[in-house]
């Protein structure tokens, strides 16, 4: 059961129209799973949470160039375990480690968990100029009651860390305000009534994770990306961090080295792919697509759609100020 309210937006807004898509994810992804194991969670509930995380991990393409996964198990204390360099991206070993996570059984220090996850990612996540999607998913059943404040730690994740943060609340103790404070976007929240529902929601959560747009930096050329036929690769630029006093243009320059792509852009849709977006076909030679960015724009989103069996490309988003 999903809960909707006037001020509360759930995962359904992200996956609208995506049902029926492949529920595995081949995306290159730096993913940190942040799991609450405080005293308010029963042993069977914690087992359901671990089962759900295993299910999500099983759907990822975990390897050196694909998905990298770290796990943060927290209560009042925070225990970090990462797949990075530990098992050489071995999915089997990662799954076994998740199954062996111990319930910590104390308070709820979500702010501390976000702090540990951010610093871990700053050290081992792939470099921003590689434009690999970064995603943190927090699973919790209650408001933080110890340690660092969520309202202080959460804003640092989509900013300097350039990560998408998704908050999953289970049960009726966690408040909507807490979930929205954790999430990097009001759309990135999901509320479930119990942990059994979490195990059934993982399919949709996997789809949402695979549609997170990767952050890119302005004027930095991104090399050797690829997208399959009839698939999209999503990107975003945080234009709120750019001093834009009079409006500016972004010139998106795409060079297809193999195959062909179609570019879609938007200032509002996180996954531009047709209606209500702008588009430009990008043939084998360089193609420049220009988007005007008004003052006060928070994000520039775009996607590249694969038109051939194999599609490889470089691109750069260059700024032009007025």
């Amino acid at each position: 059961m999903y809960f909707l309210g006037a001020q509360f937006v759930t995962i359904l807004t992200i996956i609208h129209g995506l049902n029926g898509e492949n529920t595995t994810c081949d995306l290159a992804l730096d993913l940190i799973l942040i799991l609450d194991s405080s005293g308010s969670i029963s042993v069977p509930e914690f087992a359901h949470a671990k089962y759900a995380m295993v299910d999500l991990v099983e759907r990822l393409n975990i390897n050196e160039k694909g998905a990298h996964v770290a796990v943060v198990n927290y209560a009042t204390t925070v225990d970090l375990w990462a797949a990075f360099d530990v098992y050489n991206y071995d999915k089997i070993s990662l799954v076994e480690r998740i199954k062996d996570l111990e319930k910590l059984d104390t308070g709820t220090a979500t702010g501390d968990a976000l702090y540990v996850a951010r610093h871990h990612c700053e050290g081992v996540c792939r470099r921003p100029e590689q434009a690999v999607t970064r995603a943190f998913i927090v699973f919790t059943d209650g408001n933080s009651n110890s340690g660092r404040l969520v309202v202080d730690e959460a804003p640092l994740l989509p900013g300097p860390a350039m990560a998408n943060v998704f908050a999953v609340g289970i049960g009726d103790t966690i408040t909507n305000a807490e979930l929205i404070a954790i999430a990097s976007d009001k759309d990135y929240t999901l509320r479930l009534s119990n942990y059994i529902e979490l195990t059934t929601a993982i399919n949709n959560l996997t789809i949402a994770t695979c549609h997170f747009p990767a952050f890119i930096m302005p004027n930095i050329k991104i090399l050797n990306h690829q997208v399959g036929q009839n698939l999209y690769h999503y990107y975003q630029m945080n234009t709120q961090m750019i001093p834009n006093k009079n409006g500016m243009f972004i010139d998106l320059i795409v060079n297809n080295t193999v195959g062909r792509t179609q570019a879609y852009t938007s200032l509002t849709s996180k996954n531009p792919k047709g209606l209500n977006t702008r588009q430009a076909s990008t043939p084998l030679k360089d193609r420049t697509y220009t988007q005007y960015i008004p003052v006060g724009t928070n994000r520039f989103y775009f996607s590249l759609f694969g038109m051939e069996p194999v599609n490889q490309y470089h691109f750069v988003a260059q700024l032009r100020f007025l």
Side-chain angles (χ1 to χ4, degrees):
M1 179 178 181
Y2 300 96
F3 294 87
L4 288 165
Q7 302 298 322
F8 190 62
V9 186
T10 74
I11 192 173
L12 298 180
T13 60
I14 301 173
I15 64 170
H16 178 67
L18 301 180
N19 289 328
E21 290 193 8
N22 192 347
T23 54
T24 60
C25 181
D26 290 330
L27 185 70
L29 173 70
D30 287 333
L31 174 64
I32 299 184
L33 301 172
I34 304 173
L35 178 62
D36 180 357
S37 66
S38 57
S40 59
I41 301 169
S42 69
V43 171
E45 288 173 335
F46 190 60
H48 283 303
K50 292 193 292 183
Y51 175 85
M53 287 204 303
V54 167
D55 191 6
L56 193 156
V57 166
E58 291 280 13
R59 299 168 188 264
L60 303 177
N61 182 23
I62 296 179
N63 57 60
E64 186 173 359
K65 294 184 178 180
H68 300 178
V69 181
V71 179
V72 174
N73 181 25
Y74 80 97
T76 299
T77 57
V78 182
D79 175 33
L80 171 68
W81 182 85
F84 302 93
D85 301 323
V86 177
Y87 289 112
N88 196 27
Y89 317 106
D90 181 354
K91 182 185 290 189
I92 294 175
S93 299
L94 171 60
V95 166
E96 290 304 313
R97 184 64 179 90
I98 292 173
K99 291 179 179 178
D100 290 340
L101 288 175
E102 295 183 358
K103 189 171 178 299
L104 299 177
D105 253 347
T106 52
T108 306
T110 305
D112 286 353
L114 296 177
Y115 173 86
V116 169
R118 173 168 59 88
H119 280 274
H120 176 74
C121 187
E122 288 172 352
V124 301
C125 286
R126 281 162 282 192
R127 301 186 308 276
E129 57 267 28
Q130 293 177 274
V132 171
T133 298
R134 294 179 177 181
F136 296 3
I137 306 179
V138 180
F139 302 88
T140 182
D141 79 326
N143 292 354
S144 184
N145 55 27
S146 64
R148 295 173 176 84
L149 296 178
V150 168
V151 294
D152 292 336
E153 288 300 323
L156 300 176
L157 298 175
M162 295 194 293
N164 302 280
V165 186
F166 201 103
V168 181
I170 303 101
D172 57 7
T173 303
I174 182 78
T175 64
N176 295 346
E178 178 90 351
L179 292 177
I180 292 172
I182 294 170
S184 59
D185 188 280
K186 62 182 178 61
D187 289 347
Y188 292 166
T189 56
L190 169 64
R191 183 161 187 157
L192 303 169
S193 60
N194 56 59
Y195 278 86
I196 294 177
E197 286 186 359
L198 175 60
T199 62
T200 61
I202 286 299
N203 178 57
N204 287 342
L205 187 56
T206 303
I207 295 174
T209 302
C210 205
H211 285 75
F212 282 143
F215 279 92
I216 66 163
M217 301 173 67
N219 305 319
I220 300 295
K221 190 168 186 178
I222 307 300
L223 301 175
N224 303 319
H225 273 219
Q226 62 183 12
V227 62
Q229 189 171 30
N230 298 324
L231 297 176
Y232 294 85
H233 201 152
Y234 300 105
Y235 303 91
Q236 63 178 312
M237 181 187 294
N238 186 351
T239 52
Q240 194 174 25
M241 306 291 289
I242 300 170
N244 180 13
K245 297 181 179 179
N246 301 303
M248 64 180 182
F249 291 97
I250 293 180
D251 294 325
L252 176 63
I253 304 171
V254 181
N255 172 240
N256 292 312
T257 56
V258 178
R260 291 184 302 138
T261 59
Q262 182 100 349
Y264 296 88
T265 71
S266 176
L267 302 183
T268 56
S269 172
K270 299 175 183 63
N271 301 130
K273 54 194 310 184
L275 295 176
N276 301 319
T277 64
R278 303 182 68 183
Q279 61 180 319
S281 179
T282 54
L284 286 176
K285 62 182 181 179
D286 287 358
R287 173 66 182 257
T288 300
Y289 184 69
T290 300
Q291 172 73 56
Y292 175 66
I293 309 296
V295 175
T297 301
N298 292 329
R299 291 286 192 275
F300 167 57
Y301 300 102
F302 67 96
S303 65
L304 290 171
F305 175 74
M307 302 178 70
E308 303 290 347
V310 178
N311 305 280
Q312 298 174 351
Y313 54 89
H314 313 314
F315 70 88
V316 61
Q318 296 181 341
L319 305 184
R320 284 192 291 123
F321 294 98
L322 298 178

